[in-house]
Amino acid sequence: MVSNPSPETKLTALGDEPRPLEEWLTTFHLASVVLDPYTNESSWVLKPALRILDALRGSSARVNLVVTASADDARKFLGPIADEILVFADPDRQLVKSLGLAKLPAFVFIRIDGTVQASTEGWNAEAWHGVASAIAEATAWLAPDAFSPGDPGPFHGTPALG
């Protein structure tokens, strides 16, 4: 069961110093895709995740990837994508633990007030569309399509704590 994260949970953007979650939520909600770069499942969902996040750019949600690895490993996993989107390195899985995630990949919408409004774990296009729709509704934006040709079939994901 996903829970509201502690506002003191540290998030480290690539190339930046760790800052508490509450500082990342001062102006924008967070639309976070949480990935484990050491699993095949996270690589399978990367393309549709980026498509969904790109469709939400410009809304009042800060779209981002949370990679459960060091900054160096996150950059290796993402390649040039790391320079195109906000990426948080979560090598100790502090955010994953604070959210109570059980499976990765996950898609989580954290409102400015620090509450989780919507989330899903594993990959299911309809469930991810539900989270994107919650973000779109909260930010007066348009939700992206649920499924695109080439997207993976549904899968449960892998254990979030490694």
Side-chain angles (χ1 to χ4, degrees), residues 8 15 25 27 34-35 41 64 74 87 94 119 153 156:
E8 288 83 34
L25 294 170
T27 309
V34 186
L35 303 169
E41 288 81 356
N64 65 89
V87 177
Q94 289 182 22
S119 67
H156 293 287

Side-chain angles (χ1 to χ4, degrees), residues 47-100:
K47 183 177 177 182
L50 290 170
R51 183 188 77 245
I52 292 166
L53 292 176
D54 277 345
L56 294 167
R57 276 187 206 265
S59 73
S60 58
R62 190 184 312 254
V63 299
N64 65 89
L65 298 173
V66 177
V67 181
T68 58
S70 67
D72 287 342
D73 283 356
R75 283 193 179 283
K76 287 176 189 171
F77 174 67
L78 296 171
I81 296 166
D83 296 324
E84 298 171 11
I85 190 167
L86 176 62
V87 177
F88 295 109
D90 190 18
D92 299 326
R93 300 181 189 231
Q94 289 182 22
L95 182 62
V96 170
K97 292 172 189 171
S98 188
L99 287 166

